[in-house]
């Protein structure tokens, strides 16, 4: 209903009367008025004049289901969207919906998270109206040990999306953060429910700092596209581009569940490689040189005594010697 009224207002370049809309859609004028109120609450600026009717002044930079879906060209991912203006965590909501049987591809999007999650129980700052806070439900038929590889696929796709949409030099900090000018722009948190023999569902949670202009003091390594690029970006366009790229890669990953197909592109975009890094695990720090990525997504490192090890993501955090990357 709300969507129908919105589509009508978007089509029409000037005013249209409540009567005209109600006639076209086939509901009462009171129902139209209610829908208009809801759209205004979503952030649309709609002028209403008793004489002339309604006019859409500004379609804002918002990420409601109808805005995200308007130009989305995917087969499955994001074709169903659960949008909330405010939510504790999109990952929690996606998990709840997955447990209730929601299908692969359902996307939970929120305009603000009050309890956004990072890895290892850490907090993810998610203020209102400026970022992309979303979680995608996936149900691949793979063994649970492969699930973390999907996070690397998503990291690569988001890196490519952000480069394409902004022209900025985005890179991946292994395993799946996207950084620009040494600062964290995007974080990905994957959660999973699985049995020994297979995955029930994977929740791919993604946070992108799009249009924030300030960050709390305790996040010196965080930044946004707007701060790095000096302009505002469309959140829905970024979501659409990501879903289209990721759907393609995810479908080929399901055919051959390893990273051989994207390894070269991943390595080209990975800023962690070919330099010395700090590996942090349970407050213990070891210095090593990052020398490659394996086809199962591990970071190959060489320690100072020349021994080589494949580090799997999960418990380890990677930092540069002198900064975040
Ligand atoms: P890590 O890079 O240490 O593995 P995570 O991917 O788990 O971290 O992300 C959580 C961390 O990211 C938090 O501890 C915090 O330092 C930082 N953080 C929280 N919110 C944001 C944000 N909006 N943008 C960038 N970094 C953030």
């Amino acid at each position: 209903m709300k969507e129908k009224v919105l589509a009508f207002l978007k089509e029409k370049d000037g005013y249209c009367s409540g009567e005209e809309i109600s006639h076209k859609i086939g509901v009462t004028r009171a129902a139209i008025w209610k829908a208009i109120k809801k759209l205004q609450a979503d952030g649309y600026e709609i002028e209403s004049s008793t004489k002339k009717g309604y006019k859409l002044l500004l379609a804002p930079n918002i990420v409601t289901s109808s805005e995200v879906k308007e130009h989305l060209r995917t087969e499955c991912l994001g074709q169903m969207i659960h949008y909330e203006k405010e939510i504790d965590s999109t990952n929690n909501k996606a998990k709840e919906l997955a447990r209730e049987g929601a299908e692969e591809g359902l996307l939970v999007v929120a305009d603000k998270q009050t309890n956004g999650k990072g890895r290892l129980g850490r907090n993810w700052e998610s203020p209102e109206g400026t970022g992309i806070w979303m979680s995608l439900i996936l149900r691949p038929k793979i063994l649970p040990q492969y699930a973390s590889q999907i996070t690397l696929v998503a990291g690569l796709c988001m890196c490519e999306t952000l480069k394409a949409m902004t022209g900025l030099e985005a890179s991946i900090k292994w395993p799946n953060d996207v950084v620009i000018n040494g600062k964290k722009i995007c974080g990905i948190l994957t959660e999973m429910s699985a049995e020994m023999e297979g995955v029930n569902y994977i929740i791919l949670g993604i946070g992108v700092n799009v249009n924030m202009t300030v960050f709390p003091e305790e996040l010196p390594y965080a930044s946004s596209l707007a701060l790095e690029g000096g302009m505002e970006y469309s959140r829905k366009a970024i979501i659409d581009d990501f879903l289209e790229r990721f759907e393609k890669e995810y479908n080929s990953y399901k055919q051959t569940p390893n990273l051989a197909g994207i390894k070269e592109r991943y390595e080209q975009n990975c800023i962690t490689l070919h330099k010395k890094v700090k590996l942090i695990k349970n407050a213990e720090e070891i210095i090593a040189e990052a020398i490659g990525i394996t086809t199962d997504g591990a970071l190959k490192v060489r320690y100072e005594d020349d021994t080589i090890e494949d580090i799997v993501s999960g418990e380890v955090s990677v930092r540069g010697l002198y900064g975040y990357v």
Side-chain angles (χ1 to χ4, degrees), residues 6 10 44 59 62-71 236:
L6 179 63
K10 277 189 173 171
Y44 291 93
I62 59 174
V63 284
T64 53
S65 170
S66 53
E67 288 294 331
V68 172
K69 273 160 63 175
E70 192 175 6
H71 301 292
K236 65 179 175 187

Side-chain angles (χ1 to χ4, degrees), residues 88-92 95 113 115-126 133 176-177 184 186-191 205-207 219 314 317 324:
D88 59 341
S89 135
T90 56
N91 262 36
N92 283 353
K95 251 188 276 177
Q113 291 185 111
N115 193 16
K117 293 195 283 182
R119 292 193 310 148
L120 311 172
R122 289 183 277 220
N123 181 54
W124 184 263
E125 179 79 13
S126 325
W133 324 125
N176 52 39
D177 289 341
K184 181 152 157 177
C186 162
I188 301 181
L189 172 70
T190 315
E191 296 183 273
I206 300 182
L219 296 178
S317 289
Y324 185 64

